[in-house]
Amino acid sequence: MLEKAEKRRGTAAGQERTLNYMPGFGNDFETESLPGALPQGQNSPQKCEYGLYAEQLSGSPFTAPRGTNERSWLYRIRPSVRHTGRFRRIDYPLWKTAPHIVEHSLALGQLRWSPLPVPTGTLDFLEGIRTMTTAGDALTQAGMGAHVYVFNADMVDDYFFNADGELLIVPETGAIQVFTELGKMDVEPSEICLVPRGTMFKVTRLGEEQVWRGYICENYGAKFTLPDRGPIGANCLANPRDFKTPVAAFEDKETPCRVQVKWCGSFHMVEIGHSPLDVVAWHGNYAPYKYDLKTFSPVGAILFDHPDPSIFTVLTAPSGEEGTANVDFVIFPPRWLVAEHTFRPPWYHRNIMSEFMGLIYGRYDAKEEGFVPGGMSLHNMMLAHGPDASGFEKATNGELKPVKLDNTMAFMFETRFPQQLTKFAVELETLQDDYIDCWAGLKKRFNGTPEGDWS
């Protein structure tokens, strides 16, 4: 089934493009961009229609259980062996991979940054990626990298795939088109998209912004999936029908192109004479997708107390240890606060998980000052955090009537591993040296009486 077509304005004035999507999470999809290109009843005919080549893209071991076995059959103009050749090493010096531990002078603590500066030169999506933290070990397929990106130019004849992990892309400013082997996705701020490990793609700009900026979680471990709902039951949170997988689309161009690969933390490039985005038809369950964060259906307290932030998990990458994620992707969307006799913002806490946060738009209720769209914060494992002093005062003394938190969308990449800072993050000019001072106004209110000192 095809989802209703969406229209997005292109990079040229007046240009519009319409894309179709297939709804569902983890479905077995089939799609073709030319009639009859998709074989029926078998995967690998002796001769494919249109002179295409059959090829399987596997996202799991061949013998993985049916419920976790992922693969797609691609029918393409050239097999992928023609999209490679004699690689040469290249470098993206600001994109780092775990394990990456550097000596630096920045002491342990809670950290926050303002947005990345606008680039002064010309950068495409790959050139604009900067790693803030790494965690775990990509070589053992555990952990993650937290990146930010800022760019102002299209990938036209450059293509990329990441063998180290899947990429969860979170735009903050500027809509983008992510053209993958399996189809195109137009992704706006407040939407996310995921490019599976090993999938070829390129990124171009949509609209007429001055800069395109956002965040990336590079997940080295088990793929992101929907969290179990437990007692919540069958509905709410991120509903499977709201995930959109692209239909088949391809480029048939014979011009000088470059394929770039990230493999075990190193980068390689090969020049070829054609586009590698040449999949005319495909079927399977290993595929990119996008998701509109505004369709997340939050649940929460309807009488008293603030639930654990895990109630806002959109996607989770399991670690193998039950209940402990390799990575969680958590959001804090618009919602009603109705709890009575309750401190409504997130409570003060220390946590075994390490939290990298970003803000897509609006204000975050626990940090109304200093944490701005495009900014970032890091609260590593067992470091205390919670509402700033002004947020505490507002929540403690405010009238406990129903209040809607509106025009806000914050998120968190949360991992079981400590997040190690990169040299870039330590030296970034937007690091807020005074972040720790946001809690300085939390004064002692204990005076030995049950009433305390609330003056």
Side-chain angles (χ1 to χ4, degrees), residues 70-290:
E70 291 200 315
R71 60 87 182 95
S72 287
W73 278 92
L74 317 180
Y75 302 91
R76 59 194 319 152
I77 296 172
R78 297 175 179 87
S80 288
V81 290
R82 287 295 314 280
H83 304 329
T84 62
R86 292 179 174 85
F87 284 99
R88 62 180 176 87
R89 291 288 294 266
I90 59 173
D91 192 22
Y92 285 103
L94 297 179
W95 188 340
K96 303 299 184 183
T97 302
H100 179 74
I101 302 175
V102 296
E103 294 291 333
H104 57 76
S105 59
L106 188 62
L108 179 68
Q110 302 91 333
L111 301 172
R112 189 167 67 189
W113 296 262
S114 299
L116 285 183
V118 174
T120 56
T122 300
L123 299 175
D124 67 19
F125 176 76
L126 293 181
E127 294 167 332
I129 293 175
R130 282 91 175 88
T131 305
M132 298 296 292
T133 70
T134 64
D137 186 347
L139 302 184
T140 60
Q141 298 189 353
M144 55 158 278
H147 316 291
V148 287
Y149 70 80
V150 58
F151 72 102
N152 53 19
D154 294 339
M155 295 172 67
V156 178
D157 294 319
D158 285 282
Y159 304 85
F160 177 74
F161 73 86
N162 189 349
D164 289 344
E166 60 185 359
L167 297 177
L168 177 66
I169 302 172
V170 185
E172 178 263 324
T173 296
I176 58 176
Q177 180 170 98
V178 182
F179 190 170
T180 76
E181 292 179 87
L182 283 73
K184 301 177 183 179
M185 300 178 289
D186 287 352
V187 190
E188 299 180 341
S190 82
E191 296 181 322
I192 61 172
C193 73
L194 186 135
V195 180
R197 184 194 302 261
T199 301
M200 196 89 66
F201 71 99
K202 68 177 180 178
V203 175
T204 53
R205 299 163 295 156
L206 298 177
E208 299 177 355
E209 304 287 344
Q210 296 300 311
V211 66
W212 283 255
R213 186 174 62 201
Y215 311 86
I216 302 172
C217 179
E218 182 180 10
N219 172 26
Y220 310 137
K223 75 176 190 71
F224 277 114
T225 188
L226 296 179
D228 291 331
R229 293 191 180 101
I232 295 172
N235 303 295
C236 292
L237 308 185
N239 289 304
R241 67 181 295 230
D242 295 320
F243 289 82
K244 314 298 183 188
T245 291
V247 299
F250 67 97
E251 286 184 332
D252 183 13
K253 70 177 186 181
E254 298 189 4
T255 58
C257 296
R258 291 165 296 277
V259 173
Q260 302 174 62
V261 182
K262 182 175 185 285
W263 191 90
C264 292
S266 61
F267 294 88
H268 309 262
M269 191 266 284
V270 61
E271 296 180 358
I272 59 176
H274 52 270
S275 169
L277 303 182
D278 62 355
V279 177
V280 178
W282 64 269
H283 76 87
N285 62 354
Y286 191 62
Y289 56 80
K290 75 170 201 168

Side-chain angles (χ1 to χ4, degrees), residues 360-383:
I360 301 170
Y361 59 82
R363 302 170 76 179
Y364 178 55
D365 63 321
K367 301 284 194 310
E368 294 193 356
E369 302 295 333
F371 187 41
V372 297
M376 302 144 277
S377 68
L378 176 65
H379 301 134
N380 249 317
M381 61 179 190
M382 290 305 175
L383 289 182

